[in-house]
């Protein structure tokens, strides 16, 4: 199946239109970095309806990783792969500070974890000044050179004005020992009134119709 609007035709290896009544659990894990917290504390609040995945953060949702994270943070997120070392080890994906220790063991589980390709996302969001929404391609971190991150889009509620949202896009090397210039980034397109379609290609170049800026250094979607 060709991907329209790109220079080359690509076969679609994965597509999820969220047509059922729940997430495909063979692909998606409805938790955010549970190894540093727990499955209970990292569970997403979500609904699958009308061919949409709707993530939300209700006022009563508990804090994510309250004992370790600096500042209160609530998160609703999904990911497609997870693993960790034993409790007390430092082995795990995306530690948000040095010396972080595993609190709950996460057996290795890999849903959709592509190495490269073209990614298309349709997304829309309702944000307050205290919240953000984002999508990332992250390394699985089974070895240091696979720990970088490509930010597909990142929108903070306090960065929306009459001209529209400022959309962050870019690369975070994190613990990848290779120079950042060796990581090749792609493009995102969208409409000013809504994020209608985003394309991400692991190839040189960056273009966009929305205002662009570098992604912020800290991670997390909270309210």
């Amino acid at each position: 199946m060709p991907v329209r609007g790109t220079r080359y035709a690509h076969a679609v290896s994965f597509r999820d239109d969220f047509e059922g009544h729940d997430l495909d659990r063979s692909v998606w894990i409805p938790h955010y970095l549970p190894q540093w917290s727990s499955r209970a504390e990292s569970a997403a609040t979500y609904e699958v309806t009308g061919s949409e995945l709707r993530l939300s953060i209700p006022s009563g949702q508990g804090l994510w990783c309250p004992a370790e994270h600096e500042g209160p943070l609530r998160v609703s997120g999904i990911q497609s792969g997870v693993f960790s070392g034993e409790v007390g080890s430092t082995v795990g994906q995306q530690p948000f500070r040095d010396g972080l220790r595993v609190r709950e063991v996460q057996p290795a589980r890999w849903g959709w974890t592509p190495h490269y390709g073209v990614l298309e996302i349709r997304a829309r969001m309702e944000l307050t000044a205290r919240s953000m929404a984002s999508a990332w391609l992250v390394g699985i971190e089974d070895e240091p050179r696979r720990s970088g991150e490509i930010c597909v889009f990142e929108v903070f509620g306090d960065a929306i004005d009459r001209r529209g949202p400022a959309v962050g896009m870019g690369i975070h090397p994190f613990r990848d020992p290779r120079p950042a210039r060796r990581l090749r980034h792609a493009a995102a397109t969208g409409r000013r009134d809504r994020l209608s379609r985003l394309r991400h290609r692991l190839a040189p170049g960056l273009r966009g119709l929305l205002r662009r800026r570098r992604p912020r250094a800290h991670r997390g979607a909270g309210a």
Side-chain angles (χ1 to χ4, degrees), residues 123-136 151-161 164-169 194-195 198 210-211 213 215-216 220-222:
R124 61 184 176 182
M125 58 208 72
E126 296 179 8
L127 301 174
T128 69
R130 298 173 56 218
S131 60
M132 59 87 76
S134 59
W136 304 298
C151 177
V152 182
F153 69 83
E154 179 181 83
V155 182
F156 285 80
D158 62 359
I160 301 173
D161 59 25
V167 180
M169 294 176 280
R194 64 188 178 91
L195 297 179
L198 292 136
L210 297 173
R211 289 188 294 142
R213 69 176 184 186
R216 299 188 189 181

Side-chain angles (χ1 to χ4, degrees), residues 17 33-35 37 44 58 69 74 76 95 126 138 141 164 186 198 210:
D17 291 318
L33 303 178
Q35 66 273 13
S37 182
H69 192 271
R74 292 179 174 86
S76 279
E126 296 179 8
V138 302
E141 296 200 47
L198 292 136
L210 297 173

